[in-house]
Amino acid sequence: MPSCHDMELGQIYTCEACGLELKVVHECEQHGSDPESAVCEPCEFVCCDGPLTLKEEEA
């Protein structure tokens, strides 16, 4: 399950159940930090009772 500090600018996350798509337009201030030391943990991005998944880049 993605956490905000893992998400990168421009990535798109999708709900596989309903098709909702969320695009990262601003990275978390703690992007790339150690998850254990992040003050925003735990953060969870869930839709339709399931995790959002990173959308594959189209070629």
Side-chain angles (χ1 to χ4, degrees):
M1 183 171 308
S3 295
C4 61
H5 64 274
D6 296 323
M7 297 177 166
E8 296 180 2
L9 185 66
Q11 288 181 323
I12 298 173
Y13 288 84
T14 303
C15 173
E16 293 184 16
C18 73
L20 172 73
E21 292 185 347
L22 300 175
K23 182 176 182 177
V24 179
V25 296
H26 182 64
E27 290 180 351
C28 173
E29 291 179 1
Q30 296 183 12
H31 171 73
S33 66
D34 176 28
E36 299 295 321
S37 65
V39 295
C40 56
E41 283 294 320
C43 63
E44 297 178 356
F45 295 90
V46 177
C47 185
C48 299
D49 290 325
L52 296 177
T53 57
L54 180 60
K55 184 176 179 180
E56 297 294 322
E57 292 185 29
E58 297 174 6

